[in-house]
Amino acid sequence: MRKPLIAGNWKMNKTVSESVEFAREFVGKVSDVNDRDILICPPFTSLYAMREIFKDTGVKLGAQNMYYKDSGAYTGEISPLMLKDVGCDYVILGHSERRHIFGEDDNLINEKVVAAVSHGLIPILCVGELLEDREAGKTFDVVGNQLERGLKGISSKDNFVVAYEPVWAIGTGKTATPELAEEVHSFLREKLASLFGKEKAETVRILYGGSVKPENVNGLMAMKNIDGALVGGASLKVDSFVKIVKFGR
Ligand code: PGA
């Protein structure tokens, strides 16, 4: 059985004091949740302060990006060692905003995935097609290639998470229907089976992301191959994120 993972991706939102205020209120409201994993990925600047609040709670911390080197002359970058040190368990890699706004390609993302795993961070590798890819019938090609290239050098013993985020559904209010998402999730699981074996593929969590809200989370989570959600906009308010965390209750 795969334990569901509900992850909040705050993107470039919230100051330290806003993050702390959220975290204090949030931990009180999810203290009764233990049958699913909860993760928040705030901006780097909020990690240290939030670590103190999440200590001794079940809520985990993650980062939204990192560079793959341990240290050195890489102005403006953050390393896996730094993320571990500040209390991260997870790191989102290859998010579509990194790919499309900042020009990250599969090779760079793969270097990051390998570095995360080697430092004991759990990478959440994001894949997803553009609207034009979908309209051209290229969805499986695009996400299949992103998955295979992103996971090069990773073995079946490594711990990683995959997130399917159709780019046309991110921040647009347009969610993929549960059936449409499930079609891609089940394709991704087959692809994982071809890369790592069926047994490993059955244990990997594949999250859906793109306009997940309290109103649509239950339908998505009812699908066999959807094991959680990567939530942007709706993770910024305590009440809506708590409702998503408590899906199905
Ligand atoms: P959204 O973002 O929920 O605001 O669509 C999801 C994401 O980009 O991770």
Side-chain angles (χ1 to χ4, degrees):
M1 267 302 283
R2 297 180 292 269
K3 191 176 188 185
L5 168 62
I6 304 296
N9 171 15
W10 282 1
K11 310 191 180 185
M12 198 172 71
N13 291 292
K14 293 195 192 290
T15 60
V16 175
S17 60
E18 288 164 349
S19 304
V20 163
E21 193 186 339
F22 180 109
R24 290 212 175 103
E25 193 185 339
F26 183 72
V27 288
K29 294 191 170 172
V30 296
S31 56
D32 57 335
V33 177
N34 48 31
D35 59 344
R36 52 202 75 181
D37 289 332
I38 308 171
L39 168 67
I40 296 185
C41 303
F44 294 126
T45 42
S46 293
L47 286 166
Y48 188 78
M50 289 177 73
R51 189 258 298 269
E52 297 301 303
I53 299 166
F54 289 167
K55 205 165 51 189
D56 307 321
T57 74
V59 186
K60 303 281 189 207
L61 266 184
Q64 301 170 18
N65 182 31
M66 61 168 218
Y67 196 53
Y68 62 89
K69 299 279 190 180
D70 287 357
S71 63
Y74 304 101
T75 302
E77 295 295 323
I78 299 280
S79 85
L81 283 177
M82 294 166 184
L83 295 184
K84 282 294 281 186
D85 180 55
V86 77
C88 289
D89 288 308
Y90 292 80
V91 58
I92 299 171
L93 295 173
H95 189 278
S96 71
E97 286 146 19
R98 300 299 320 169
R99 292 177 189 267
H100 299 294
I101 304 175
F102 300 101
E104 293 194 10
D105 64 13
D106 288 320
N107 285 336
L108 176 61
I109 294 161
N110 176 242
E111 301 257 30
K112 296 181 177 195
V113 169
V114 170
V117 162
S118 74
H119 283 89
L121 285 162
I122 303 173
I124 301 179
L125 172 65
C126 302
V127 301
E129 81 286 5
L130 298 165
L131 186 58
E132 67 210 55
D133 299 325
R134 176 160 285 272
E135 285 173 349
K138 291 192 190 143
T139 298
F140 290 163
D141 275 357
V142 169
V143 299
N145 282 334
Q146 289 173 339
L147 188 78
E148 185 164 354
R149 292 176 188 155
L151 293 175
K152 207 171 81 194
I154 294 299
S155 94
S156 59
K157 290 189 204 73
D158 295 325
N159 197 357
F160 60 89
V161 173
V162 174
Y164 170 55
E165 299 204 306
V167 180
W168 48 269
I170 296 178
T172 58
K174 282 189 211 152
T175 330
T177 61
E179 292 72 22
L180 196 145
E182 172 63 15
E183 192 177 58
V184 180
H185 281 237
S186 95
F187 167 80
L188 290 170
R189 197 169 310 284
E190 276 168 34
K191 183 89 188 169
L192 287 171
S194 75
L195 295 170
F196 301 102
K198 193 165 165 42
E199 204 179 318
K200 172 66 177 178
E202 286 302 318
T203 68
V204 175
R205 291 182 291 189
I206 307 177
L207 316 182
Y208 170 79
S211 300
V212 176
K213 305 184 249 308
E215 299 75 43
N216 58 28
V217 66
N218 287 343
L220 289 160
M221 290 305 298
M223 295 289 128
K224 185 163 156 259
N225 288 293
I226 300 185
D227 309 311
L230 184 53
V231 187
S235 71
L236 292 170
K237 294 238 159 60
V238 173
D239 285 344
S240 65
F241 195 47
V242 167
K243 282 189 189 137
I244 294 174
V245 164
K246 298 193 174 179
F247 73 87
R249 287 201 175 174

